[in-house]
Amino acid sequence: QVQLVDSGGGLVQPGGSLRLSCARSGSIFAVDYMGWYRQAPGKQRELVARITSIGDTIYADSVKGRFTISVDNAKNTVYLQMNSLKPEDTAVYYCNAAVRLSSWTPQGDYWGQGTQVTVSS
């Protein structure tokens, strides 16, 4: 019912920028929040940024001041603008959404397929 398609990753030099996009499709009752996680080789998946339905945002300390999460409701799309990229930002980035399919079903997590971000000289 819910599909998340994330894109925008690639190879970038340190100090460069990328913008990730996550397009949602499918009917839902409500979206509680959307965000981005990342997983580097040999590491656990970690939260990068999240935006709630009322517009509150949180960021991992490691990306605060460099990354910005935003949404375009008309396009059902969430973005992650990544500036001043560092080699340690290299990871697969996954879009995540916490949604409810109906008023009587509990919140569930949905995930994009992941997009690779590589920061290297």
Side-chain angles (χ1 to χ4, degrees), residues 8 13 23 26-28 42 53 77 79-80 85 90-92 101-102 108 116:
Q13 293 182 328
S27 297
I28 60 172
S53 61
T77 300
Y79 303 95
L80 184 68
L85 283 162
T90 296
V92 178
L101 301 182
S102 72
Q116 176 72 49

Side-chain angles (χ1 to χ4, degrees), residues 60-77:
D61 288 340
S62 59
V63 308
K64 197 170 299 181
R66 300 187 296 121
F67 291 10
T68 303
I69 188 170
S70 62
V71 296
D72 184 336
N73 294 130
K75 297 180 179 179
N76 294 322
T77 300

Side-chain angles (χ1 to χ4, degrees), residues 19-87:
R19 188 182 72 162
L20 306 184
S21 300
C22 175
R24 178 189 62 78
S25 63
S27 297
I28 60 172
F29 175 74
V31 178
D32 292 325
Y33 57 79
M34 296 187 69
W36 294 89
Y37 285 71
R38 67 185 181 188
Q39 187 166 24
K43 304 287 289 187
Q44 295 292 115
R45 187 174 298 186
E46 64 175 350
L47 176 67
V48 177
R50 176 179 290 167
I51 184 166
T52 72
S53 61
I54 60 173
D56 292 333
T57 58
I58 59 172
Y59 296 92
D61 288 340
S62 59
V63 308
K64 197 170 299 181
R66 300 187 296 121
F67 291 10
T68 303
I69 188 170
S70 62
V71 296
D72 184 336
N73 294 130
K75 297 180 179 179
N76 294 322
T77 300
V78 62
Y79 303 95
L80 184 68
Q81 179 66 47
M82 305 185 294
N83 299 324
S84 302
L85 283 162
K86 305 175 180 180

